[in-house]
Amino acid sequence: MNDLSHTSALTPLAREVERRRTFAIISHPDAGKTTLTEKLLLFGGAIQLAGQVKAKAEKRNTRSDWMSIERERGISVVTSVMTFEYEGLVFNLLDTPGHEDFSEDTYRTLTAVDSAVMVIDAAKGIEARTRKLFEVCRLRDIPIVTFINKMDREGRDPFELLDEIEKTLALSTVPMTWPLGRGRDFAGTYDLTASHVRLLDKDTAPIPVEAGDAAALARAVPSIDAEAASEEIALVQEACGEFDLAAFREGHMTPVFFGSAIKNFGVGDLLKGLGDYAPQPRDQAAATRMVEATEDNLSAFVFKIQANMDPNHRDRIAFVRLCSGKLTRGMKVKQVRTGKSMSLNAPQFFFAQDRALAEEAYAGDVVGIPNHGALRIGDTLTEREEIAFLGVPSFAPEILRRVRLPDAMKAKKLKDALQDLAEEGVVQVFRPRDGSPALVGVVGALQLDVLQGRLAAEYGLEIRFEPSEFALARWISAPTKAELDSFVTSHNFSIADDLDGDPVFMAKSAFDLRYQGERSPSIVFADIKDVKKAK
Ligand code: G4P
């Protein structure tokens, strides 16, 4: 597939970086993400049997109540990463959580990828969730490869689907393959770049057919109306522009593949497309400079924390995306937020069914680092340099609640548990300066159920939520410390500290927030918190 022959001129590090593709799959529930993931992993030889991904998920689900929330609602709350190799390339597939309540978590996962595969159900077209995830990708200029799935079933007209992508997402489409036959008569695809036919249900080599040669097409696929299909292919070639790699990389154009994940059809073409077009690990913006993936020194950021993956061991894994350089097991890195040094003694790679110690990893890879709370979401790790990566933000919660604990003896335990879960990004915790009980904030209501379930299952804490007098939380800043201090002092009953000790203004209503804003024009009320960019 990929021509890597020129890579001999590259440094060993650059060669490793060049062969990496780190991507996520975005889709609406039921479009076929899980099925496609299984098939992709099969290609990489990462799993032996299709069905393993689901089986694994089900096994995990039995482990705690938190997981049963996930099961009951038929969603996947856990983000995981799966690494597989195919034809000389290393693919890191990051799974995005399936429920829209978890937009914050999803957003963070998408900060760690260089491209995305958008899976569309051929019968349904662009659905709400796909659109939302697409918007996040667009914010970050993530290039998108499109896979139109379930071609083995009755679906919508392919031209209509392309038109819908173009209109609703403002994204140019360039089909790479074209379906031959529809629904029950779907017989395979015509590869528009390689000029060959690939047949469904037949494990044969592709059959070369020149575009426009209806007779050859009829010989290759006797079951379809070859004359009509040939005309359609001519129309596709005429109507759809040339594929422009630069436009794709900038997020304006998407190559489109048609297939059927369940029949393992079109998945190889998709994987080849990812290998050929999807970018290698991109340069990443830090507060003070751009960091190139091929720089010698290691840099990385934490985009996800998962605690208690196995409650028996109370382990806590920080998922770290490497941005530059090489990680070698046992090396020492600096945690920029605290200035502390830590040894990476047990970094882990994740496969479909397994984890393994990562002896070495390169920019683009995602490794899990077991730790006891030292690492937080958004943390940067470097060999020495004082840099902080941008773009792993916190969003102002839309729902605020007080946590009511009937058993007052367990207050300390609750405080620690909330701290754990806030560091993991399950909820945000705000500690009011006036000493009243902590408030928890979430972006979606489902997170409250997850919090309640996990507090019970993992910490033995039965809690209830009570409404809070506050409706909104905003991070506050001001041009000078004196101005900020003065605001904080005069609004002490409405100020809380977030996890990092940054001040947050708690407003009773949107009106209250607007009123305070007008009265204190020098104060900035922010609904997103990110690492600050150097001026
Ligand atoms: P998701 O992760 O995006 O939610 O989707 P998932 O892969 O679980 O697929 C949703 C349903 O669509 C599943 O059926 C799956 O078998 C089916 N499916 C996936 N890809 C294709 C395809 O290419 N063609 C057809 N015809 N169906 C496909 P289910 O009945 O809900 O689940 P199951 O009992 O088959 O597991």
Side-chain angles (χ1 to χ4, degrees):
M1 83 191 219
N2 241 31
D3 177 16
L4 295 174
S5 53
H6 67 287
T7 57
S8 54
L10 299 172
T11 63
L13 174 64
R15 218 164 30 233
E16 286 298 338
V17 171
E18 187 176 49
R19 68 190 195 101
R20 274 159 170 79
R21 303 287 181 274
T22 302
F23 70 105
I25 299 179
I26 59 170
S27 64
H28 192 83
D30 265 356
K33 186 176 77 167
T34 312
T35 313
L36 180 63
T37 302
E38 283 169 11
K39 299 297 154 57
L40 285 169
L41 294 177
L42 267 178
F43 263 89
I47 52 175
Q48 278 73 45
L49 289 168
Q52 290 264 18
V53 175
K54 261 195 181 151
K56 170 82 174 170
E58 275 157 20
K59 201 168 104 209
R60 260 202 266 124
N61 279 350
T62 57
R63 287 200 190 141
S64 69
D65 279 7
W66 160 49
M67 293 297 190
S68 35
I69 293 172
E70 182 184 341
R71 191 182 50 220
E72 276 161 24
R73 306 219 177 182
I75 54 161
S76 145
V77 183
V78 180
T79 304
S80 49
V81 51
M82 286 158 272
T83 298
F84 59 96
E85 285 204 35
Y86 183 64
E87 302 217 332
L89 298 176
V90 177
F91 291 89
N92 295 308
L93 167 53
L94 274 58
D95 191 17
T96 49
H99 197 280
E100 66 184 290
D101 265 6
F102 281 79
S103 51
E104 199 174 7
D105 217 5
T106 306
Y107 188 96
R108 292 193 197 115
T109 298
L110 292 174
T111 63
V113 301
D114 302 304
S115 57
V117 171
M118 174 167 75
V119 180
I120 293 173
D121 182 330
K124 298 196 171 143
I126 302 283
E127 296 175 87
R129 175 80 178 141
T130 320
R131 196 170 172 155
K132 212 165 165 180
L133 287 165
F134 171 79
E135 279 159 15
V136 175
C137 289
R138 171 148 287 170
L139 273 179
R140 303 188 48 80
D141 297 328
I142 295 172
I144 306 275
V145 177
T146 301
F147 186 75
I148 299 191
N149 191 30
K150 306 198 186 181
M151 290 307 296
D152 57 301
R153 272 205 204 148
E154 290 305 321
R156 284 167 53 189
D157 176 61
F159 283 107
E160 196 187 302
L161 288 167
L162 296 183
D163 199 46
E164 185 175 82
I165 297 172
E166 301 228 344
K167 292 220 169 84
T168 57
L169 307 181
L171 183 66
S172 307
T173 56
V174 178
M176 293 288 151
T177 60
W178 193 257
L180 300 168
R182 304 284 185 269
R184 240 177 307 145
D185 300 326
F186 176 61
T189 50
Y190 182 72
D191 189 316
L192 292 153
T193 40
S195 303
H196 63 221
V197 165
R198 196 182 289 284
L199 293 175
L200 179 75
D201 292 334
K202 284 213 181 82
D203 208 5
T204 50
I207 309 161
V209 173
E210 279 312 311
D213 188 345
L217 189 61
R219 280 195 300 279
V221 206
S223 65
I224 60 162
D225 178 347
E227 202 68 49
S230 203
E231 274 173 30
E232 205 174 80
I233 289 166
L235 181 64
V236 174
Q237 286 181 318
E238 203 183 294
C240 303
E242 288 274 302
F243 179 67
D244 175 352
L245 189 63
F248 160 68
R249 295 268 173 99
E250 285 160 15
H252 304 310
M253 182 180 274
T254 181
V256 181
F257 295 86
F258 290 87
S260 163
I262 205 149
K263 293 193 180 268
N264 201 3
F265 185 79
V267 180
D269 292 330
L270 171 71
L271 201 51
K272 180 177 181 319
L274 269 175
D276 289 346
Y277 309 129
Q280 63 182 68
R282 52 159 80 186
D283 301 342
Q284 298 272 348
T288 41
R289 68 181 186 92
M290 285 301 284
V291 176
E292 286 175 29
T294 49
E295 288 177 22
D296 286 337
N297 284 334
L298 173 79
S299 67
F301 66 86
V302 179
F303 66 94
K304 172 158 185 90
I305 304 270
Q306 208 166 301
N308 306 344
M309 275 172 88
D310 184 346
N312 297 329
H313 295 100
R314 291 240 155 215
D315 60 348
R316 179 158 156 153
I317 305 277
F319 287 87
V320 168
R321 150 88 197 215
L322 271 60
C323 299
S324 67
K326 177 181 173 182
L327 176 151
T328 313
R329 186 158 84 87
M331 76 189 288
K332 274 201 159 50
V333 292
K334 173 176 173 161
Q335 187 188 357
V336 175
R337 179 173 54 82
T338 58
K340 287 194 181 133
S341 143
M342 63 188 294
S343 295
L344 303 181
N345 291 327
Q348 297 173 7
F349 280 136
F350 294 81
F351 305 98
Q353 333 91 309
D354 255 325
R355 313 180 193 181
L357 277 179
E359 293 300 335
E360 48 189 49
Y362 296 87
D365 286 341
V366 171
V367 295
I369 299 183
N371 67 100
H372 297 289
L375 290 172
R376 296 234 190 120
I377 290 171
D379 274 357
T380 298
L381 299 176
T382 66
E383 287 192 35
R384 273 176 302 272
E385 195 180 345
E386 287 280 331
I387 49 172
F389 287 107
L390 300 168
V392 191
S394 301
F395 297 89
E398 283 164 18
I399 303 168
L400 287 166
R401 292 280 183 274
R402 289 222 192 252
V403 178
R404 174 105 180 84
L405 181 69
D407 183 352
M409 300 295 284
K410 292 185 172 166
K412 166 81 171 79
K413 195 168 184 194
L414 176 65
K415 190 171 177 222
D416 294 346
L418 286 178
Q419 179 79 12
D420 275 0
L421 296 173
E423 286 174 5
E424 199 189 317
V426 174
V427 285
Q428 294 181 49
V429 173
F430 301 100
R431 300 194 188 282
R433 292 257 171 112
D434 66 7
S436 57
L439 292 153
V440 293
V442 294
V443 175
L446 180 65
Q447 276 172 279
L448 289 176
D449 295 356
V450 172
L451 175 65
Q452 200 168 25
R454 290 192 60 180
L455 284 173
E458 294 164 29
Y459 299 90
L461 293 167
E462 300 294 337
I463 56 120
R464 283 201 312 272
F465 295 109
E466 282 179 355
S468 150
E469 66 274 36
F470 298 115
L472 298 164
R474 291 290 181 270
W475 285 278
I476 48 172
S477 58
T480 64
K481 186 170 177 308
E483 280 166 291
L484 186 63
D485 287 349
S486 145
F487 181 83
V488 167
T489 313
S490 55
H491 295 81
N492 204 29
F493 289 104
S494 306
I495 304 289
D497 290 309
D498 76 359
L499 191 65
D500 304 319
D502 288 331
V504 177
F505 176 73
M506 316 298 290
K508 295 200 169 66
S509 62
F511 173 81
D512 181 25
L513 180 65
R514 224 173 21 248
Y515 175 72
Q516 297 298 342
E518 281 163 15
R519 280 188 41 180
S520 310
S522 66
I523 302 294
V524 178
F525 297 84
D527 59 2
I528 293 180
K529 177 175 132 169
D530 199 346
V531 172
K532 288 178 197 73
K533 211 170 190 153
K535 296 248 165 62

